[in-house]
Amino acid sequence: MGFPEMRLSRMRGNEVFRGMVRENKVELSDLVQPIFVHHGENIKNEIKSMPGQFQYSVENACAYIQELYDLGLRAVLLFGIPKVKDEQGSDSWDDQGGIIQQALRAMKQACPGMMLITDVCFCEYTSHGHCGVMVDRGGEMVLDHDATLEKLALQAVSHAMAGADMVAPSGMIDGGIAAIRQALDMEDFNHIPIMAYSAKYASSFYGPFRDAADGAPKYGDRRTHQMDCANRAEAIREVELDVVEGADIVMVKPGLAYMDVINDVKATFGLPTAVYNVSGEYAMVKAAGAQGWIDAEAVTMEILLGFKRAGADIILTYHAEEVARDFGIK
Ligand code: PBG
């Protein structure tokens, strides 16, 4: 049957009809708000390239997550900005003094119902800004994946001990998921899931984040371990390895320019799939919105819905708070 008997516009005539046939929805339970926790006290620094996003000291971050909880959000992703960075990134596994460990303990007390997910990586903690242990290979400093594994495991266990509900390794370190899974299981944390940044691309969309987390590499870049933006089939191989190594949730990052990858990953594995709507994507919407060139609220919801349509179950997004506060979804 075709036109004129069939008219698809019939089911678009009013909001009730549109609602009945709507295929995808964004819900607050899909959203995770990233938060930057800064050492020190009484800090709430707005991040210039990410209007509406702040670096918070621990006590302010606690108040902030309570606000998010009251708005109906239930999960946050934590990044730490330590006082002291060193060659190894030792603050990241400092059980007592580590910035993330302090934040986790305080947050668990302040807002026990909030799910605390921690970004597990070294670039915010190392003096050189790279995601692990560096070695000299013929005069060039490169990331040593194997030497990073032990430290990665230490960091993840330390986060779990301090109260992390889930760990999210973001470094694209070969073998990283297995190393973390094994270490967590040995330390009685077999109930702590891993959200793996499985298909993470070497993207220019991370620009504003590197200001926010002070994690820009001091030399070189991350193209030797993060994925090449041109590759699609390789993402499946990356995800497959993480699944075999024990990932509970797999992630695609960034989002907007990688909708095909989200779709492939969900269709191939059928696993809980997350997408990271990264800092540069947020900054673009905010900048164009501030100029009055786009309706930022409508564009934001269209982007989030696009992620759902592509197959994402979970969306890590800096828009989470405003969506919960102002955009009228429950
Ligand atoms: C690494 C990490 C990065 C982001 C999340 N985790 C930066 C990078 O890989 O260079 C980027 C997130 C964003 O841009 O919003 N710890």
Side-chain angles (χ1 to χ4, degrees):
M1 193 169 43
F3 180 82
E5 294 85 0
M6 196 61 229
R7 290 173 191 267
L8 287 176
S9 63
R10 263 181 223 129
M11 288 307 292
R12 299 177 195 141
N14 62 49
E15 182 50 29
V16 178
F17 280 168
R18 290 192 293 272
M20 278 175 173
V21 298
R22 189 159 288 140
E23 297 174 36
N24 290 284
K25 242 203 249 173
V26 177
E27 290 170 290
L28 294 188
S29 58
D30 304 327
L31 305 181
V32 179
Q33 172 76 43
I35 302 180
F36 301 100
V37 187
H38 196 284
H39 65 86
E41 270 171 46
N42 206 11
I43 287 165
K44 185 181 178 189
N45 297 333
E46 187 159 28
I47 299 153
K48 236 165 100 199
S49 50
M50 302 175 73
Q53 305 300 309
F54 299 82
Q55 297 172 327
Y56 295 99
S57 47
V58 170
E59 83 288 3
N60 285 343
C62 286
Y64 180 52
I65 66 165
Q66 184 62 51
E67 250 179 77
L68 296 178
Y69 190 89
D70 294 339
L71 290 169
L73 292 168
R74 291 292 179 268
V76 294
L77 174 66
L78 303 177
F79 295 95
I81 303 153
K83 188 166 184 179
V84 179
K85 301 186 189 224
D86 57 26
E87 190 71 17
Q88 304 260 307
S90 58
D91 186 278
S92 69
W93 67 80
D94 180 347
D95 295 335
Q96 290 314 314
I99 180 68
I100 280 293
Q101 289 79 356
Q102 292 180 43
L104 287 164
R105 283 190 297 267
M107 286 174 171
K108 268 288 155 224
Q109 285 235 307
C111 187
M114 185 63 94
M115 176 187 256
L116 307 176
I117 309 169
T118 56
D119 185 84
V120 174
C121 193
F122 291 98
C123 53
E124 299 110 72
Y125 302 96
T126 49
S127 44
H128 44 69
H130 282 287
C131 304
V133 179
M134 302 301 280
V135 285
D136 189 334
R137 192 191 286 155
E140 196 192 344
M141 294 304 285
V142 295
L143 186 79
D144 184 338
H145 288 252
D146 298 33
T148 301
L149 293 177
E150 181 198 340
K151 300 279 187 289
L152 209 53
L154 263 180
Q155 184 184 151
V157 168
S158 180
H159 288 185
M161 270 168 39
D165 296 297
M166 176 151 75
V167 291
S170 67
M172 291 289 281
I173 307 298
D174 293 334
I177 305 304
I180 290 172
R181 185 70 274 159
Q182 217 179 9
L184 287 173
D185 289 359
M186 275 183 18
E187 302 287 340
D188 285 334
F189 293 116
N190 61 11
H191 59 291
I192 299 293
I194 301 175
M195 174 162 66
Y197 286 65
S198 300
K200 176 174 176 181
Y201 287 83
S203 168
S204 299
F205 282 99
Y206 308 150
F209 174 92
R210 293 182 184 169
D211 300 335
D214 188 22
K218 299 293 180 285
Y219 55 84
D221 57 41
R222 308 215 206 286
R223 282 181 296 179
T224 56
H225 56 108
Q226 298 181 350
M227 280 183 65
D228 186 323
C229 308
N231 294 355
R232 181 170 178 176
E234 189 192 4
I236 298 299
R237 300 182 65 202
E238 280 288 359
V239 173
E240 193 168 24
L241 279 168
D242 282 359
V243 172
V244 169
E245 290 181 28
D248 299 280
I249 298 173
V250 291
M251 192 201 296
V252 175
K253 176 182 173 194
L256 279 180
Y258 300 87
M259 292 285 194
D260 54 334
V261 181
I262 301 170
N263 180 56
D264 286 353
V265 167
K266 185 65 189 185
T268 306
F269 300 96
L271 285 174
T273 302
V275 57
Y276 201 138
N277 177 210
V278 300
S279 56
E281 298 171 337
Y282 176 85
M284 290 194 304
V285 171
K286 287 292 164 189
Q291 295 284 342
W293 294 339
I294 59 168
D295 174 343
E297 178 172 329
V299 165
T300 297
M301 290 312 294
E302 194 171 327
I303 289 171
L304 299 182
L305 204 48
F307 292 141
K308 295 296 300 267
R309 207 181 58 242
D313 303 293
I314 300 158
I315 307 171
L316 300 110
T317 178
Y318 303 97
H319 294 291
E321 178 198 346
E322 61 181 354
V323 168
R325 190 185 296 283
D326 301 323
F327 296 9
I329 67 165
K330 281 279 164 299

